[in-house]
């Protein structure tokens, strides 16, 4: 069954019941709760779920709800890759809280971002070269290689910290019977990258730690020349927990499916009966365009 992330409407509706009604009214019966939701909004969501039995929470995007010690929240406010022990401890603490909530709501999965390597966001320079029509040029290839080398120089102990964090998260996930989906990232400097994914799944694959394939992020990374979607799925696809489904034009993502460059036929090859399938759509997209995207996916048997 196709679900949808609350991100499409969470900026518009702060009342949790209204937020859920806006999605359920379009026919969605599976919802992903995302990290922009406050405790007050969550209270309304819980009331809606008590009163409406045919809508289920399929997944929750960490950190949820906005932590009580943070004003605006976000998926990257604390890093599992952090070498700072206090920050990494907060990441684990609030992720476990999210896992507990997921179990209470009957969700199947929690989605995690793991962190980043602290370096200049040179990917923005690649975007500029891409816009100038210089993709594939010597200048572009040189800048891309520079980004790769800088990330390797700056990564420090980020992988060790991710592995340490996931060991703790794995134990919590087993205790609460929740699958964890580690999401592939948009920027190359974020964690984990392609190689780090391989190490993580070599250690944790087959347990509660799995892979969450963000279709847009993967396509952007391919478009920028870092790693192909096919290669990424060949390594991580066997551990697939769920999808964030959206489309891409160049490096612009979170468009409705069917209008861009994402190869949804390729994604289908990795889809299993229990794979969570969530539309993660930018609020700029209209209701009509969203439902056209739903029809596009249903016609491809993404149900």
């Amino acid at each position: 069954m196709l679900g949808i992330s609350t991100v499409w409407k969470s900026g518009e509706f702060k009342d949790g019941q209204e937020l859920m009604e806006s999605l359920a009214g379009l026919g969605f019966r599976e919802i992903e709760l995302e990290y922009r939701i406050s405790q007050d909004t969550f209270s309304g969501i819980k009331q809606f779920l008590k009163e409406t039995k045919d809508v289920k929470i399929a997944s929750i995007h960490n950190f949820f709800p906005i932590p009580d010690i943070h004003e605006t929240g976000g998926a990257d406010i604390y890093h599992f890759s952090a070498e700072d022990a206090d920050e990494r401890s907060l990441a684990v603490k609030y992720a476990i809280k999210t896992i507990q909530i997921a179990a209470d709501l009957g969700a199947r999965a929690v989605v995690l971002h793991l962190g980043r390597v602290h370096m200049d966001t040179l990917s923005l320079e690649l975007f500029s070269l891409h816009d100038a029509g210089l993709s594939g040029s010597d200048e572009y290839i040189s800048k891309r290689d520079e980004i790769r080398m800088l990330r390797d120089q700056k990564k420090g102990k980020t992988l060790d910290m991710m592995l340490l964090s996931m060991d703790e998260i794995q134990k919590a996930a087993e205790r609460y019977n929740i699958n964890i989906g580690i999401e592939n990232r948009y920027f190359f400097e974020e964690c984990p990258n392609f190689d780090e994914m391989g190490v993580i799944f070599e250690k944790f694959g087959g347990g509660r730690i799995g892979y969450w394939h963000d279709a847009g992020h993967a396509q952007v990374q391919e478009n920028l020349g870092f790693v192909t979607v096919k290669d990424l799925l060949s390594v991580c696809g066997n551990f697939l927990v769920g999808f964030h489904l959206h489309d891409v034009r160049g490096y612009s993502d979170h468009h409705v499916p069917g209008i861009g460059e994402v190869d949804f036929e390729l994604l289908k090859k990795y889809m299993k009966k229990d794979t969570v399938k969530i539309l993660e759509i930018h609020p700029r997209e209209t209701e009509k365009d969203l439902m056209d995207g739903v029809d596009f996916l249903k016609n491809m048997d993404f149900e």
Side-chain angles (χ1 to χ4, degrees):
M1 182 181 296
L2 280 174
I4 189 168
S5 169
T6 51
V7 66
W8 184 58
K9 285 293 184 181
S10 61
E12 181 178 345
F13 295 105
K14 297 307 177 187
D15 181 282
Q17 287 188 279
E18 291 181 357
L19 173 60
M20 296 296 283
E21 286 166 0
S22 72
L23 303 175
L26 294 176
F28 291 104
R29 294 295 174 262
E30 290 203 336
I31 308 290
E32 177 174 284
L33 303 177
E34 39 85 25
Y35 49 80
R36 297 166 185 84
I37 290 177
S38 68
Q39 184 62 59
D40 286 344
T41 302
F42 182 36
S43 295
I45 290 171
K46 287 188 285 187
Q47 186 60 39
F48 173 88
L49 293 171
K50 283 182 182 179
E51 298 170 358
T52 310
K53 300 303 181 185
D54 62 340
V55 175
K56 299 185 182 301
I57 303 305
S59 50
I60 300 182
H61 201 318
N62 194 56
F63 299 96
F64 178 92
I66 295 173
D68 50 12
I69 61 172
H70 206 276
E71 287 187 14
T72 57
D76 304 293
I77 52 175
Y78 310 118
H79 293 169
F80 298 97
S81 60
E83 294 186 35
D84 179 84
D86 290 337
E87 180 181 352
R88 198 189 66 78
S89 178
L90 286 171
V92 171
K93 173 185 174 179
Y94 282 102
I96 292 175
K97 181 178 179 180
T98 303
I99 291 168
Q100 291 172 324
I101 291 170
D104 289 343
L105 295 181
R108 289 183 278 154
V110 167
V111 183
L112 304 184
H113 296 178
L114 296 196
R116 65 179 293 117
V117 172
H118 292 287
M119 56 182 275
D120 293 337
T121 308
L122 300 180
S123 296
L124 299 179
E125 297 182 34
L126 283 186
F127 296 169
S128 296
L129 293 170
H130 182 278
D131 290 342
L134 294 173
S135 296
S137 67
D138 290 344
E139 182 181 3
Y140 185 94
I141 293 169
S142 177
K143 177 58 65 176
R144 191 183 64 208
D145 290 345
E146 178 188 346
I147 293 170
R148 281 196 174 106
M149 287 188 290
L150 184 60
R151 189 188 190 284
D152 193 55
Q153 292 168 4
K154 297 281 190 177
K155 66 183 180 182
K157 297 181 179 179
T158 52
L159 177 57
D160 291 339
M161 296 302 102
M162 283 188 276
L163 293 172
L164 183 61
S165 298
M166 290 307 98
D167 188 55
E168 296 177 67
I169 294 299
Q170 169 100 299
K171 293 171 184 174
E174 289 173 346
R175 186 161 68 250
Y176 290 101
N177 196 30
I178 293 291
N179 291 324
I180 303 298
I182 297 174
E183 183 180 330
N184 57 307
R185 305 301 297 120
Y186 180 84
F187 288 111
F188 186 72
E189 53 269 26
E190 293 178 291
C191 297
N193 67 7
F194 176 60
D195 293 335
E196 291 159 354
M197 283 279 197
V199 175
I200 290 170
F201 293 131
E202 184 177 354
K203 180 170 183 179
F204 295 105
R208 284 291 179 178
I209 303 289
Y211 173 56
W212 193 277
H213 184 80
D214 187 294
H217 296 168
Q219 190 62 49
V220 169
Q221 287 292 297
E222 177 171 313
N223 290 352
L224 294 177
F226 285 112
V227 61
T228 68
V229 177
K230 184 176 181 180
D231 285 347
L232 181 61
L233 284 169
S234 71
V235 170
C236 304
N238 289 337
F239 309 104
L240 184 68
V241 170
F243 286 123
H244 278 153
L245 298 168
H246 51 106
D247 221 329
V248 166
R249 289 170 171 167
Y251 56 83
S252 176
D253 61 353
H254 296 284
H255 296 283
V256 298
I259 67 167
E261 303 160 24
V262 171
D263 182 353
F264 290 96
E265 287 288 354
L266 174 60
L267 303 192
K268 263 182 63 178
K269 295 177 182 178
Y270 291 89
M271 188 170 66
K272 297 170 286 191
K273 184 177 180 180
D274 60 348
T275 301
V276 184
K277 299 173 286 294
I278 300 295
L279 285 150
E280 192 178 55
I281 305 300
H282 194 282
R284 66 177 170 241
E285 304 292 328
T286 67
E287 180 180 317
K288 179 186 181 303
D289 288 342
L290 170 65
M291 299 315 293
D292 285 346
V294 169
D295 289 341
F296 169 81
L297 291 175
K298 286 184 175 179
N299 288 335
M300 295 186 67
D301 296 323
F302 271 86
E303 289 192 88

